[in-house]
Amino acid sequence: MGSESQPAAGSEVETPIYAEPVRGSYLDPGLFASLPGLEMLRAFLDGRQLPPPGAHLYGLRITEVDPEVVTFEMPASPWLSPPVGVIQGAALALLVDAPLGCAFQTTLPPATPYTTSEMSLSFIHPVLPDGGMLTSTARVVHTGRTIGLTDATVKDQAGNLMATASTRLVVLPKIDFPGDLVAQALRNPPHPHVPTWPNPDPTDRPVQGAVQPQSVFDRLSGLEVMRGCMTGALEAPPVSHLFGLRPTAVEEGTTTWTAPSTEWLCSPVEGRLYGGFLAFFAGNAADGAIMSTCEAGTALAPVDLKVYFLRPVAPHGENLTAVGRVIHRGRSVAIATAEVHDRDGRLVATAISSSMILPGRPATIISPPSPDGPQPEVSPAGSEA
């Protein structure tokens, strides 16, 4: 991992971020084989282990490791903006999945893997894409021989509570590594070379794509906005440029999305996509389905998201598909489900989420400019009821 693509001579087509050669590192087998989970995670802090792709793609970083408590941070980057600008609650899964799992990992002996079976998020405040640092701290609630429970909070840079999360984890059989690998790792701990790159990481680059102004949401229904993003009548939002996330079919109450399964989306475990992205992808499809039922001049406030992970996904580069469907639409609350399938059509994750319907509330963070032409201001789109 680590090479960087360059445009061909004379080419005017820029390589999409998600199609660039990946940056980041996978977990060193020697560290995993020789160190208990607590010490292995501390290797990320002292430089013995370089961060995985998510650190480069959307800025996810581990910042503190203690027994049964782990903290990660991630910027509230404009790159995570959907058409409404406010960062979707489901996008917080990109942040919380890591500390939820790593807190449990601090309790595990060497060479012992685990997997996440389910994750739940409850959203408290909307997250504005102001670049401020979001922080998630997770703590162990229960550990057993085969099952672990952890929970987490998400706070903004000012310390405001933005969301809570919890997860259930399953301990997998211990891996029998060769003895010489363990001995070598104990004698000579790795000191990896930190690569340099010809350009900044994606979230440090100028943002591509567009957040739609309030005038669009005043004029168009949610269904029309979604179709506009699908057909190109409306410019794709930044989150589509970052992940390759695209709507491919939109009907009232149902949306279908695709995203390429690339190494940029991998966890520190080689060959496996990060569960936080699968949760975000599923939540995005469910949110889109609810949005497709909204009239013009209506905002949404996501309330919660629960995701079940059914099987691992490899970074094969081909499209994953997520289908969201509304199963209840009341005057003030809507509930939707989502299913994520891999390239072979196998179900890999399923989710359920709910949102508040807010008629007459601004749907976007971009308010209409005044006749005097001041800069757009942030408005409380999607704030809780």
Side-chain angles (χ1 to χ4, degrees):
M1 302 173 72
S3 62
E4 177 68 24
S5 64
Q6 298 293 333
S11 173
E12 297 182 357
V13 179
E14 185 176 354
T15 301
I17 288 172
Y18 54 86
E20 292 180 8
V22 69
R23 302 176 182 186
S25 298
Y26 293 129
L27 188 61
D28 182 277
L31 290 178
F32 183 64
S34 62
L35 298 180
L38 177 65
E39 294 305 316
M40 190 196 70
L41 291 171
R42 286 175 172 166
F44 284 94
L45 298 179
D46 62 24
R48 287 174 292 157
Q49 173 65 55
L50 298 182
H56 298 276
L57 184 62
Y58 44 89
L60 181 67
R61 300 270 179 176
I62 190 169
T63 59
E64 295 182 42
V65 178
D66 291 300
E68 300 190 358
V69 182
V70 175
T71 299
F72 276 71
E73 65 180 20
M74 181 184 79
S77 170
W79 277 102
L80 297 176
S81 298
V84 297
V86 174
I87 295 174
Q88 288 175 286
L92 296 181
L94 297 168
L95 170 59
V96 302
D97 188 38
L100 284 169
C102 289
F104 180 57
Q105 192 166 18
T106 65
T107 70
L108 298 179
T112 305
Y114 68 91
T115 189
T116 301
S117 63
E118 61 184 65
M119 179 168 60
S120 298
L121 296 98
S122 295
F123 310 119
I124 299 171
H125 291 290
V127 177
L128 300 179
D130 57 10
M133 197 61 67
L134 301 170
T135 301
S136 180
T137 298
R139 293 173 172 82
V140 172
V141 175
H142 167 77
T143 58
R145 289 195 303 171
T146 59
I147 295 293
L149 302 175
T150 60
D151 60 25
T153 58
V154 176
K155 296 183 178 181
D156 67 7
Q157 192 158 302
N160 299 308
L161 184 64
M162 311 303 284
T164 63
S166 62
T167 195
R168 179 184 297 270
L169 308 111
V170 178
V171 180
L172 300 176
K174 184 174 181 179
I175 299 174
D176 187 16
F177 286 100
D180 57 347
L181 174 67
V182 176
Q184 173 66 19
L186 291 173
R187 286 196 306 268
N188 299 301
H191 296 282
H193 169 70
V194 179
T196 57
W197 313 103
N199 58 1
D201 281 341
T203 51
D204 294 326
R205 304 177 195 175
V207 177
Q208 302 173 27
V211 171
Q212 299 301 320
Q214 183 60 38
S215 59
V216 169
F217 294 95
D218 289 338
R219 177 171 53 90
L220 302 179
S221 68
L223 181 63
E224 291 168 325
V225 170
M226 297 283 294
R227 285 178 172 167
C229 291
M230 181 179 68
T231 63
L234 297 176
E235 186 175 354
V239 71
S240 292
H241 291 273
L242 187 65
F243 294 111
L245 185 72
R246 306 283 179 182
T248 59
V250 180
E251 301 294 339
E252 185 172 353
T254 304
T255 59
T256 302
W257 300 74
T258 62
S261 174
T262 73
E263 282 192 274
W264 281 108
L265 306 176
C266 278
S267 72
V269 179
E270 186 171 3
R272 177 172 294 192
L273 257 62
Y274 178 48
F277 174 77
L278 295 177
F280 164 57
F281 188 39
N284 176 81
D287 289 345
I290 295 174
M291 181 177 176
S292 72
T293 69
C294 292
E295 298 178 352
T298 302
L300 291 179
V303 174
D304 55 24
L305 172 68
K306 187 176 180 88
V307 183
Y308 296 91
F309 303 101
L310 307 179
R311 54 169 48 90
V313 180
H316 44 61
E318 298 182 34
N319 279 340
L320 302 171
T321 302
V323 179
R325 295 182 177 87
V326 173
I327 60 173
H328 169 76
R329 176 60 159 88
R331 287 185 297 176
S332 59
V333 175
I335 301 172
T337 61
E339 293 184 347
V340 179
H341 294 84
D342 65 12
R343 63 179 178 181
D344 299 317
R346 296 179 301 177
L347 184 64
V348 299
T350 185
I352 185 168
S353 72
S354 66
S355 292
M356 296 289 293
I357 312 297
L358 305 172
R361 297 282 285 275
T364 178
I365 65 170
I366 300 182
S367 59
S370 74
D372 297 328
Q375 293 296 313
E377 298 179 352
V378 169
S379 59
S383 57
E384 71 278 8

